């Protein structure tokens, strides 16, 4: 077992290993001993840092929420309306996340588990994502690329549910398309269809293909 100083680096290492295991197997199926083995530390050190597995799970939840909060700034920060005006696909949460997350990141998998969990972190993240969906719809409306509809709140919820389907049904979508929808190749197939439906509904013609190399 490698020796690691008991500092924030050790704490972050344990958290990151727990995140990967929780995403792959679910928090209830992962033991403190398994997390410790993955991090190369003793089970006692895990308890020392987090108090218990529940304490570690809460920290993982808070970390995931913080990561997505930072990424969501792309869709809600200053200049977001201009982004929508130049590229409506920027309104896609899944596209934004894919641009920021490295290949093989456990975050999408854990996002799925977190959103479907009955936890404060899951509710907080969904509320934040909904606010981003409202902002995206407002931006598209201001750019003349979408109409707010008779019920903007409901329309924003519909758009969010559609976007989150990529995360919640990632494995099943990959099976039928033969491509992970959150990979670069998968998003190249997925994003134009989403954009076409958002801007022209199901009767819209297919969007033109992007020039090679863009």
């Amino acid at each position: 077992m490698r020796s690691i100083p008991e500092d924030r680096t050790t704490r972050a290492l344990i958290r990151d290993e727990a995140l990967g295991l929780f995403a792959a197997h679910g928090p209830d199926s992962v033991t403190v001993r398994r997390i410790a083995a993955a991090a190369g530390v003793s089970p006692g050190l895990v308890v020392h840092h987090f108090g218990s597995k529940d304490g570690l799970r809460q920290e993982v939840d808070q970390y995931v929420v913080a990561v997505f909060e930072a990424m969501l700034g792309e869709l809600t920060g200053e200049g977001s309306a201009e982004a929508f005006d130049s590229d409506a696909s920027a309104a896609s949460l899944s596209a934004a996340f894919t641009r920021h997350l490295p290949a093989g990141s456990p975050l999408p998998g854990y996002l799925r588990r977190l959103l479907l969990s009955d936890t404060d972190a899951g509710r907080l993240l969904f509320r934040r994502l909904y606010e981003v969906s409202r902002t995206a719809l407002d931006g598209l409306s201001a750019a003349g690329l979408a109409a707010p509809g008779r019920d903007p709140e409901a329309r924003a919820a519909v758009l969010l549910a559609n976007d989150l389907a990529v995360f919640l049904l990632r494995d099943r979508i990959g099976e039928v398309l033969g491509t992970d929808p959150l990979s670069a190749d998968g998003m190249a197939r997925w994003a134009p269809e989403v954009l076409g439906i958002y801007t022209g509904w199901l009767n819209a013609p297919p969007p033109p293909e992007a020039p090679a190399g863009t």
Side-chain angles (χ1 to χ4, degrees):
M1 183 169 299
R2 62 181 180 268
S3 176
I4 303 175
E6 291 188 21
D7 58 12
R8 189 179 179 191
T9 300
T10 305
R11 186 182 185 92
L13 172 64
I14 296 170
R15 181 204 63 210
D16 290 347
E17 293 295 342
L19 169 60
L21 290 170
F22 289 170
H25 307 287
D28 293 339
S29 300
V30 179
T31 64
V32 168
R33 185 173 297 277
R34 187 173 183 181
I35 295 167
V41 300
S42 69
L45 188 58
V46 176
V47 174
H48 169 74
H49 278 293
F50 301 97
S52 64
K53 192 178 84 169
D54 285 342
L56 175 54
R57 180 178 180 178
Q58 290 175 17
E59 180 135 341
V60 169
D61 287 352
Q62 292 169 2
Y63 171 71
V64 171
V65 170
V67 169
F68 280 102
E69 283 272 3
M71 287 189 290
L72 291 174
E74 176 182 314
L75 298 180
T76 57
E78 185 176 347
S80 60
E82 288 79 2
F84 298 143
D85 191 26
S86 61
D87 182 4
S89 65
S92 169
L93 296 173
S94 52
F97 292 165
T98 301
R99 285 194 295 272
H100 288 280
L101 295 176
S105 170
L107 283 168
Y110 196 73
L111 172 69
R112 173 171 54 192
R113 293 187 183 277
L114 187 58
L115 287 174
L116 296 177
S117 68
D118 185 21
T119 63
D120 289 340
R123 284 185 284 271
L124 173 63
L125 183 55
F126 186 83
R127 171 64 64 177
R128 182 73 179 98
L129 291 170
Y130 175 73
E131 292 170 356
V132 171
S133 185
R134 281 297 312 269
T135 299
L137 180 58
D138 291 344
L140 290 171
S141 299
L145 298 172
R150 291 179 296 178
D151 189 342
E153 292 184 352
R155 179 162 294 196
V158 169
L159 296 178
L160 175 58
N162 180 75
D163 226 13
L164 289 179
V166 184
F167 294 95
L168 302 180
L169 298 174
R170 178 183 186 178
D171 296 339
R172 303 292 82 80
I173 293 171
E175 290 169 3
V176 297
L177 293 183
T179 307
D180 179 358
L182 292 181
S183 67
D185 290 342
M187 193 52 61
R189 295 180 64 185
W190 187 268
E193 294 301 324
V194 171
L195 177 58
I197 293 171
Y198 279 5
T199 58
W201 305 109
L202 292 176
N203 292 324
E209 293 189 8
T214 60

